[in-house]
Amino acid sequence: MPASAAAIEEAAEALRRGELVVIPTETVYGLACDAPNPEALRRTFAAKGRPADHPLIAHVQSVEQARSLARDWPPCADVLSRRFWPGPLTVVVPRGAGAPTELVGGLDTVAIRSPNHSVALAIIKALGRPVAAPSANPYMSVSPTRVEHLEPGIVAAAALVVDAGPCERGVESTVIDCAQEPPALLRPGAVTRSEIEEVLGVVLADPPTGAAGPGRQARHYAPRTRLILVDALGPDDAGLTFDAPANALQVRLPREPRQCERDLYDALHRLDALGLESAKVALPPDAPEWETVHNRLRKAATL
Ligand code: TXA
Ligand code: MG
């Protein structure tokens, strides 16, 4: 259903009944459910084929609603939410009684963000409760940034798909652990490490080494085609390139980091649609502004 006042109302009704709805956000499309409803949360994990100990992000329309899920609201969460919400920044904070154990995968923390998308915000508002929304893709595969990317299994599991066109940012939110001191960067994303460090006035920690941790598996965001990371593509290679495509099996990525993030998953979906066994991917420069693209390409290329 194209995004409209009627679609927003229908989405909120379906969520209230405990059903799943694919919603647009500024990062990627999400598979939404009513966050306080344990049965709806279990359905979400089942639809994605995602292990129950891999927690979801609660999406809220205000800091007040976020705080209803948290046991306390550390200064880090306060500063980041004021600066970046609504926007592609997720804070991990101590879990409060309002966050069901299914949502947090049994952890004593909860991940929360407020999406910068008028349709997503309107749906949360119409429901009147936080919405849990993992990316609307099967576990480990590439996130959808257009409804055309949705897998049939995900569409079948949803009562409704709300289509608002291509996502503006194209990569997932940055996840910051505010429950530890100093805060840690758990997942690079649409907000850069340096923007966050500047606002907090601290150097972000890395996640504890060796710890598995939710969402930290080496392989993720992966297409079916096996990816091989290279410095540049040759004229006969298939894959992703920053140069003018030399053949019909090459997909071009923008040379500017934010534009590349916006187009990256669409390029991976297009590459996958070629049905190749393997393809090469040209790595961007090894520079801080490319951290998120590097992260996603490395995970996509991990066997
Ligand atoms: O941009 C986004 O964040 C998108 C859109 C739909 O909002 N959502 C998204 O959700 O990417 P998902 O479920 O695909 O990824 C959630 C990430 C995972 O890496 C998960 O492990 C981490 O957030 N996460 C959730 N709760 C956590 C917690 N309590 N502690 C640490 N990491 C957590
Ligand atoms: Mg995901």
Side-chain angles (χ1 to χ4, degrees), residues 25-28 116-117 145 165-171 258 261-263:
T25 81
E26 81 280 34
T27 58
V28 301
N116 188 19
H117 196 292
T145 56
C167 300
E168 209 180 306
R169 301 302 297 264
V171 287
R258 299 294 87 74
E261 288 171 8
R262 184 196 60 202
D263 294 355

Side-chain angles (χ1 to χ4, degrees), residues 185-198:
L185 177 67
L186 297 184
R187 176 176 74 180
V191 179
T192 64
R193 180 193 290 268
S194 65
E195 285 177 274
I196 295 164
E197 291 183 336
E198 196 178 308

Side-chain angles (χ1 to χ4, degrees), residues 149-231:
H149 297 156
L150 293 168
E151 296 263 344
I154 296 286
V155 175
L160 179 68
V161 173
V162 181
D163 182 359
C167 300
E168 209 180 306
R169 301 302 297 264
V171 287
E172 296 84 352
S173 60
T174 306
V175 181
I176 301 292
D177 187 351
C178 291
Q180 69 155 69
E181 213 31 77
L185 177 67
L186 297 184
R187 176 176 74 180
V191 179
T192 64
R193 180 193 290 268
S194 65
E195 285 177 274
I196 295 164
E197 291 183 336
E198 196 178 308
V199 169
L200 290 178
V202 297
V203 174
L204 289 169
D206 288 321
T209 48
R216 311 222 15 256
Q217 65 274 49
R219 179 177 172 81
H220 208 147
Y221 317 106
R224 283 176 291 270
T225 302
R226 194 164 63 86
L227 300 184
I228 301 150
L229 305 179
V230 296
D231 289 332

Side-chain angles (χ1 to χ4, degrees), residues 171 188-189 192-194 241-242 253-264 282-298:
V171 287
T192 64
R193 180 193 290 268
S194 65
T241 176
F242 290 96
L253 291 172
R255 264 186 201 280
E256 193 281 320
R258 299 294 87 74
Q259 287 175 23
C260 184
E261 288 171 8
R262 184 196 60 202
D263 294 355
L264 182 64
L283 278 171
D286 192 7
E289 62 273 24
W290 287 97
E291 180 176 17
T292 301
V293 174
H294 267 280
N295 171 272
R296 299 303 191 270
L297 288 178
R298 289 193 189 286

Side-chain angles (χ1 to χ4, degrees), residues 12-21 32-34 37 39-41 43-44 127 129 157 159:
E13 284 300 320
L15 292 170
R16 204 166 289 128
R17 288 193 301 269
E19 297 186 76
L20 313 187
V21 178
C33 78
D34 182 13
N37 182 337
E39 183 54 42
L41 291 163
R43 230 176 260 159
T44 304
L127 176 67
R129 296 195 285 265

